[in-house]
């Protein structure tokens, strides 16, 4: 090959290479991946049986396994349970890869039902529902029979002798005496009758959010009169447990004796 031919070959090769580079199309950037918000509800909302007037808390978790923040706008409940449930968190954002715990409180005022909790959100996938089951027992309603133990009896003079004396008093400390109650409950309100031995009267009260019953009332029989001064009891299975106090007086006996007691073996019949 002559020097002229070699030179021409090199120039032609460079020209072809340059043309090839100039004629190629630039590479386009890949489009950004679509944002995802994948929701899941983790936990159990099986409340079981809860006495009317008391409450039970359960916690579930809202998770977001997507790539962008999940916006929650509210919670809804079907099955007639909405008025008996209270949530600790109802709206806000769950970050990508994050979780939001929610405590749900069941405070029954009537018979329980089954339903579904729905988390309203802008999710792009996943499941935003969780089943709920809850039942409510009759609370403090019914007939209760058992005993109470006198823990303390305080009086002075003849009152001390008649009511609190260990030898001949009617309510000496350490004694176990009969009690019976017939109660009805409507929501948080309780009413009915009670008997301490042969002394019978009526009482009314309320059940607070913690399921504790408080009662006020009075009773009388013959010469004896009793006034409830305190009452705090709760249900444990089929039993009622707690403490109460009363003042007792008698016709012809001056003064008042204060009696402090503890329920013992009181069960629903």
């Amino acid at each position: 090959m002559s020097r002229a031919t070699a030179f021409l070959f090199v120039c032609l090769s460079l020209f072809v290479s340059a043309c090839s580079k100039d004629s190629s199309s630039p590479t386009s950037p890949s489009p950004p991946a679509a944002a995802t918000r994948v929701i899941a509800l983790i936990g159990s909302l099986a409340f079981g049986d809860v006495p009317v007037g008391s409450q039970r808390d359960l916690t579930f978790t809202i998770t977001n396994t997507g790539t962008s923040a999940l916006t929650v706008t509210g919670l809804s409940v079907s099955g007639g349970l909405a008025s008996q449930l209270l949530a600790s968190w109802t709206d806000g954002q769950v970050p990508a890869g994050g979780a939001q715990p929610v405590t749900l409180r069941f405070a029954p005022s009537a018979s329980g039902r089954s339903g579904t909790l729905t988390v309203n959100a802008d999710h792009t996938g996943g499941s935003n529902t969780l089943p709920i089951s809850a039942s409510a027992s009759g609370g403090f309603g019914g007939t209760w029979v058992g005993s109470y133990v006198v823990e303390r009896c305080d009086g002075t003079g003849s009152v001390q002798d008649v009511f609190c004396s260990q030898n001949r008093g009617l309510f000496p400390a350490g004694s176990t005496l009969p009690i019976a109650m017939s109660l009805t409950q409507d929501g948080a309100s309780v009413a009915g009758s009670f008997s301490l031995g042969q002394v019978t009267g009526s009482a009314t009260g309320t059940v607070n959010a913690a399921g504790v019953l408080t009662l006020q009332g009075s009773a009388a029989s013959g010469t004896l009169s009793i006034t409830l001064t305190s009452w705090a009891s709760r249900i444990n299975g089929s039993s009622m447990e707690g403490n109460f106090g009363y003042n007792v007086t008698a016709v012809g006996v001056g003064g008042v004796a204060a009696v402090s007691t503890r329920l013992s073996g009181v069960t629903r019949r």
Side-chain angles (χ1 to χ4, degrees):
M1 179 185 298
S2 66
R3 294 181 63 186
T5 301
F7 178 79
L8 179 60
F9 179 81
V10 172
C11 289
L12 186 59
S13 298
L14 291 173
F15 176 78
V16 171
S17 178
C19 289
S20 176
K21 290 181 179 179
D22 291 341
S23 62
S24 63
S25 301
T27 303
S28 301
S30 300
T36 60
R37 298 171 294 277
V38 182
I39 190 173
L41 308 185
I42 300 172
S44 171
L45 295 180
F47 286 93
D49 184 69
V50 181
V52 171
S54 61
Q55 64 188 32
R56 182 168 297 160
D57 292 348
L58 292 176
T59 299
F60 71 97
T61 303
I62 304 171
T63 65
N64 174 20
T65 57
T67 59
S68 64
L70 172 75
T71 300
V72 176
T73 56
L75 310 180
S76 58
V77 178
S78 67
L81 286 168
S83 63
Q84 302 180 62
L85 292 168
L86 179 66
S88 63
W89 187 90
T90 58
D91 58 80
Q93 287 197 326
V94 182
Q100 174 63 54
V102 181
T103 297
L104 208 60
R105 171 168 294 172
F106 176 49
S109 58
S111 297
R113 303 174 179 87
S114 296
T116 301
L117 170 77
T118 300
V119 176
N120 304 307
D122 63 346
H123 56 290
T124 60
S127 174
N128 66 326
T129 62
L130 197 62
I132 299 176
S133 62
S135 61
S137 62
F140 288 89
T143 299
W144 299 86
V145 178
S147 304
Y148 68 95
V149 178
V150 177
E151 296 188 324
R152 183 166 179 170
C153 184
D154 295 311
T156 58
S158 57
V159 170
Q160 174 72 23
D161 187 54
V162 171
F163 297 126
C164 304
S165 170
Q166 290 295 125
N167 296 323
R168 53 184 177 273
L170 296 176
F171 311 102
S175 58
T176 299
L177 302 170
I179 183 173
M181 293 172 285
S182 179
L183 304 174
T184 60
Q185 182 170 349
D186 182 9
S189 299
V190 175
S193 62
F194 73 98
S195 298
L196 302 180
Q198 300 301 312
V199 185
T200 301
S202 60
T204 59
T206 57
V207 182
N208 66 18
V212 177
L213 170 67
T214 59
L215 286 175
Q216 308 82 39
S218 59
S221 177
T223 61
L224 289 179
S225 295
I226 287 175
T227 301
L228 296 178
T229 56
S230 64
W231 187 288
S233 65
R234 64 172 66 244
I235 296 174
N236 182 7
S238 62
S239 300
M240 187 187 301
E241 301 173 347
N243 300 82
F244 70 98
Y246 59 86
N247 288 344
V248 58
T249 60
V251 174
V253 180
V256 178
V259 183
S260 300
T261 77
R262 169 177 50 84
L263 294 175
S264 174
V266 176
T267 58
R268 197 197 309 264
R269 298 290 174 86

